[in-house]
């Protein structure tokens, strides 16, 4: 075994076994693949040394391009390699909350664990790091190394079949101002919101109809006012209400959920099986249902049929008695909730 060190990564590599793996590799014949093989003949000594240190044949991978070729004759290429070996050391992972990220204008202060070599950016897929993206067919005793080469030269004597969108090209080459990107994002979100709202309303209407439930949607203004009433009723008297509103009502940088009142332990609710059991045992008449991901709110005249099992048909909901005597949240997070709470 050879020891390869890259930044905080230390890997024991069996170079001969890795080379043997690639000697038997069957390369797919696609246009992007053929161009990438040509590109690999132009690698710098730094890039070539990186591949050699791991025993990788850089031409032996399934390459794809997400954006396609730009008018400047460059395209993004990404894929992954398998290396026979094991991790000896790897960068520690420190979790950061959405609030901390938002406070830092969504610039992640945690050092990037990827390794940049020439025009390539490599990411080692480690099972103990978040979102490891390890392929299902990874052979035993091997590790996976992902790569992206954002500006791969187009070298074939034929036009690329996939052409980059002109606006994407302007973004890639830094020719779009942050203001333009922000305005485009707002426009796309607004258009997408209108389209999705129609789909969500239709889906929820069918669900309520099948359950023989009368449900009246609230307006956006009524919904916001209701969330204010909800937190005013259920938040403890000594709670920091500015903090509560940031977590539960509205925030300009990240999504809010009423049940954040419980997950952040501002109020202490029953959770898990105990919450489900308690909720199942109470009478559920007139109530209010908040569908968080849809950002929709409904007045329910009789919630008797809204059992914990039925509520799982919604992605993320909070159901509350019209008189605020109780509230129950079914979250989208498998490790959080469900929550049941009665304010004493």
């Amino acid at each position: 075994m050879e020891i390869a060190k890259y930044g905080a990564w230390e890997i024991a590599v069996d170079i001969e076994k890795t080379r043997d793996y690639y000697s038997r590799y069957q390369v797919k014949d696609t246009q992007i693949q053929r161009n990438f093989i040509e590109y690999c003949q132009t690698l710098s000594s730094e890039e070539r040394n990186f591949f050699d240190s791991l025993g990788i044949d850089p031409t032996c991978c399934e390459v794809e391009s997400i954006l396609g070729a730009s008018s400047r004759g460059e395209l993004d290429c990404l894929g992954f390699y398998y290396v026979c070996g094991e991790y000896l050391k790897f960068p520690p992972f420190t979790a950061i909350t959405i609030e901390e990220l938002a406070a830092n204008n969504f610039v992640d202060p945690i050092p990037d664990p990827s390794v940049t070599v020439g025009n390539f950016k490599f990411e080692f897929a480690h099972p103990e790091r978040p979102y490891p993206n390890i392929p299902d067919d990874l052979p035993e005793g091997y590790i996976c190394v992902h790569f992206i080469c954002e500006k791969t030269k187009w070298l074939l004597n034929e036009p690329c079949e996939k052409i980059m969108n002109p606006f994407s090209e302007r973004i890639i080459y830094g020719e779009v101002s942050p203001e333009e990107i922000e305005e485009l994002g707002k426009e796309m979100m607004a258009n997408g919101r209108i389209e999705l709202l129609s789909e969500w309303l239709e889906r929820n209407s069918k669900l309520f109809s099948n359950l023989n439930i009368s449900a009246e949607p609230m307006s956006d203004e009524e919904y916001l006012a209701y969330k204010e009433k909800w937190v005013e009723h259920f938040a403890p008297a000594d709670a920091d209400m500015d903090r509560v509103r940031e977590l539960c009502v509205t925030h300009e940088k990240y999504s809010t959920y009423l049940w954040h009142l419980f997950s952040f332990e501002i109020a202490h609710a029953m959770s898990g099986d105990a919450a489900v059991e308690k909720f199942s045992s109470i009478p559920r008449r007139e109530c209010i249902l908040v569908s968080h991901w849809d950002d929709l709110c409904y007045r329910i005249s009789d919630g008797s049929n809204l059992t914990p099992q039925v509520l799982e048909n919604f992605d993320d909901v909070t159901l509350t008695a019209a008189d605020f005597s109780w509230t129950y949240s079914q979250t989208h997070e498998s490790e959080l909730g469900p929550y049941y709470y009665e304010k004493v």
Side-chain angles (χ1 to χ4, degrees):
M1 287 278 197
E2 300 288 336
I3 306 300
K5 297 181 180 180
Y6 297 101
W9 297 92
E10 187 171 312
I11 306 166
V13 181
D14 191 323
I15 293 178
E16 292 307 315
K17 281 190 176 181
T18 302
R19 287 174 177 166
D20 180 64
Y21 170 84
Y22 285 108
S23 70
R24 294 176 281 106
Y25 190 92
Q26 298 295 314
V27 178
K28 291 187 177 180
D29 184 21
T30 68
Q31 190 190 46
I32 299 293
Q33 192 82 42
R34 285 187 279 114
N35 185 77
F36 188 72
I37 290 173
E38 290 292 322
Y39 180 75
C40 286
Q41 308 312 310
T42 70
L43 296 180
S44 68
S45 58
E46 180 189 18
E47 293 166 338
R48 175 63 63 183
N49 288 339
F50 176 86
F51 288 114
D52 289 345
S53 70
L54 296 174
I56 295 172
D57 180 343
T59 66
C60 294
C61 62
E62 293 185 20
V63 183
E64 63 175 324
S65 174
I66 302 300
L67 299 175
S70 71
S71 62
R72 307 167 205 215
E74 296 176 331
L75 73 160
D76 62 312
C77 284
L78 59 155
F80 57 85
Y81 300 103
Y82 290 158
V83 175
C84 183
E86 61 179 332
Y87 296 108
L88 301 179
K89 296 180 181 179
F90 58 94
F93 171 67
T94 304
I96 182 171
T97 67
I98 188 66
E99 293 79 23
E100 292 170 331
L101 197 58
N104 202 39
N105 291 319
F106 287 92
V107 176
D108 193 342
I110 299 173
D112 186 354
S114 63
V115 175
T116 299
V117 181
N119 290 329
F120 288 81
K121 183 177 182 179
F122 298 96
E123 294 187 0
F124 296 99
H126 193 290
E128 294 183 21
R129 291 191 61 83
Y131 314 112
N133 194 16
I134 299 175
D136 293 334
D137 63 351
L138 178 69
E140 186 175 354
Y142 282 71
I143 64 173
C144 177
V145 184
H146 293 270
F147 77 88
I148 182 168
C149 185
E150 289 189 323
K151 295 181 180 179
T152 307
K153 293 287 185 183
W154 185 257
L155 300 174
L156 297 184
N157 293 321
E158 58 187 82
C160 183
E161 296 168 354
K162 190 170 186 178
I163 303 300
M164 188 180 295
N165 176 284
F167 190 77
S168 297
E169 181 170 338
R170 289 179 60 208
I171 293 176
I172 292 295
Y173 290 95
E175 297 172 352
V176 179
S177 68
E179 291 75 20
E180 283 184 272
I181 295 176
E182 183 177 355
E183 286 303 313
L184 178 66
K186 289 179 180 178
E187 181 181 343
M188 292 174 66
M189 288 181 66
N191 292 339
R193 166 84 175 143
I194 292 172
E195 184 176 336
L196 285 173
L197 268 178
S198 177
E199 294 178 10
W200 288 332
L201 284 166
E202 182 178 357
R203 181 201 67 179
N204 293 345
S205 177
K206 288 180 179 178
L207 180 58
F208 290 134
S209 178
N210 291 338
L211 295 169
N212 195 29
I213 291 175
S214 173
E216 176 191 354
M218 287 186 182
S219 67
D220 288 345
E221 293 76 13
E222 289 174 319
Y223 176 33
L224 182 58
Y226 172 75
K227 290 198 291 185
E228 286 283 355
K229 289 181 181 178
W230 191 96
V231 296
E232 287 171 4
H233 182 85
F234 288 113
D238 59 350
D240 179 346
M241 292 307 295
D242 289 337
R243 169 73 168 159
V244 169
R245 289 186 177 90
E246 281 190 351
L247 293 171
C248 303
V249 180
T250 183
H251 196 284
E252 62 180 11
K253 292 184 178 179
Y254 54 82
S255 299
T256 58
Y257 300 90
L258 294 177
W259 51 264
H260 277 169
L261 188 72
F262 312 126
S263 63
F264 282 85
E265 299 184 347
I266 298 170
H268 298 283
M270 298 174 67
S271 63
D273 292 341
V276 172
E277 183 178 351
K278 177 64 176 178
F279 175 67
S280 300
S281 70
I282 64 170
R284 298 179 295 280
R285 301 295 183 231
E286 188 177 355
C287 49
I288 305 295
L289 184 143
V290 171
S291 184
H292 291 112
W293 275 8
D294 305 354
D295 247 358
L296 295 171
C297 189
Y298 298 87
R299 296 183 182 89
I300 308 293
S301 58
D302 186 348
S304 301
N305 291 339
L306 291 174
T307 64
Q309 294 72 29
V310 167
L311 290 179
E312 289 179 0
N313 289 294
F314 296 88
D315 295 315
D316 191 301
V317 295
T318 293
L319 186 69
T320 305
D323 63 359
F324 294 100
S325 57
W326 54 262
T327 187
Y328 177 82
S329 293
Q330 172 74 48
T331 83
H332 66 276
E333 300 281 4
S334 59
E335 69 275 16
L336 297 176
Y339 297 108
Y340 178 86
Y341 184 69
E342 294 178 4
K343 188 173 182 180
V344 179

